[in-house]
Amino acid sequence: MPLATTHRAGLVDQVIEQLRTAVRQGEWPVGERIPTEPELGEQLGVGRNTVREAVRALAHTGLLEVRQGDGTYVRATSEVSGAIRRLAGSELREVLQVRRTLEVEGARLAATERTEDDVAELRALLARRASERDEGRWEHFARTDAEFHRAVVRAGHNGLLTELYLGLTEVVTASVAATSTITPGAEHVPEIGHEGLVDAVAEGDPDRAVAEARGFLDGLLARVESAPNGTD
């Protein structure tokens, strides 16, 4: 039955895309249980088996996690991030090395491609993270800092690089949180400012933007490597 098979595969793909979109848009946050198969089937107008195949496919990529007898939970916001989260003991050093690779190029592109709106967004995020830092709201600070770095990459207007970096949302946020508590004997270490990076982007100076981005990430790596446990 080739026609039926093709039609069924198309339905599964459509459900996969709708579930993926719901996760990425935050309809179901990371850690939240999604509706049951019968509920999803009713909402999407497809059979239960179609939903099951779609969920199974997304669980295989790491986006969802099926817990027998409990339900299906959101594990990550993208397949890329899900794959990273599945790596056993993914070390903080490795995360920072990948961040450096992407963010340095992102900073260079941002300095040549940014718009006035991009710069305004970066300055607004800097002000917000400074306020959260001063108030000691460290969880919010970590999320805003990660959002700032995504905004820098977006300002380069390279769709593929932005998509790749978006997949690192969870691990970037986790790395910010980890590197803010890594100095022995101190609850939080002095955070590394990004005003110089924003100024370089605003002034259209790619060399300085690269130096700024590489400089603070090298600083984070040095901080991690000098910590007692060597990594996280």
Side-chain angles (χ1 to χ4, degrees):
M1 300 284 292
L3 184 58
T5 301
T6 302
H7 180 63
R8 179 174 178 74
L11 272 180
V12 173
D13 288 341
Q14 290 175 45
V15 173
I16 287 173
E17 186 55 37
Q18 290 185 71
L19 295 179
R20 180 187 291 126
T21 299
V23 169
R24 296 193 63 173
Q25 291 181 347
E27 183 173 336
W28 306 313
V30 172
E32 182 172 308
R33 183 168 58 186
I34 70 172
T36 63
E37 289 177 2
E39 291 171 335
L40 287 172
E42 184 176 349
Q43 291 175 25
L44 299 171
V46 298
R48 186 169 176 175
N49 287 339
T50 300
V51 173
R52 183 178 294 120
E53 288 185 35
V55 167
R56 193 174 296 162
L58 291 175
H60 181 71
T61 66
L63 194 73
L64 300 176
E65 178 183 1
V66 179
R67 302 177 187 173
Q68 294 300 325
D70 188 15
T72 300
Y73 290 77
V74 178
R75 180 167 183 167
T77 56
S78 75
E79 282 89 341
V80 174
S81 182
I84 292 171
R85 287 165 68 90
R86 290 173 66 185
L87 294 176
S90 181
E91 294 184 353
L92 179 56
R93 181 188 295 111
E94 294 177 355
V95 172
L96 292 174
Q97 288 168 343
V98 172
R99 282 186 58 189
R100 180 172 58 185
T101 299
L102 298 179
E103 290 182 26
V104 168
E105 178 61 14
R108 185 186 71 78
L109 288 172
T112 59
E113 304 297 330
R114 83 285 181 270
T115 65
E116 290 184 6
D117 287 343
D118 292 329
V119 174
E121 180 184 15
L122 292 176
R123 294 203 187 282
L125 286 169
L126 269 191
R128 193 169 91 199
R129 80 192 275 280
S131 175
E132 291 164 350
R133 175 201 62 209
D134 294 344
E135 295 170 6
R137 301 166 63 206
W138 295 107
E139 184 177 345
H140 293 278
F141 170 84
R143 287 200 295 265
T144 300
D145 190 77
E147 187 177 346
F148 168 81
H149 293 297
R150 289 196 300 274
V152 172
V153 173
R154 280 199 309 272
H157 296 279
N158 181 302
L160 181 56
L161 181 61
T162 299
E163 188 71 16
L164 287 171
Y165 193 80
L166 183 62
L168 299 175
T169 296
E170 282 80 26
V171 291
V172 169
T173 305
S175 70
V176 173
T179 52
S180 69
T181 59
I182 207 166
T183 296
E187 183 179 354
H188 289 92
V189 300
E191 62 94 9
I192 300 174
H194 299 313
E195 289 77 10
L197 173 58
V198 174
D199 288 343
V201 168
E203 293 165 11
D205 187 339
D207 291 337
R208 183 183 169 199
V210 164
E212 291 283 348
R214 181 180 291 121
F216 80 78
L217 283 161
D218 283 347
L220 290 180
L221 278 162
R223 189 183 287 175
V224 169
E225 290 164 356
S226 65
N229 293 330
T231 57
D232 48 8

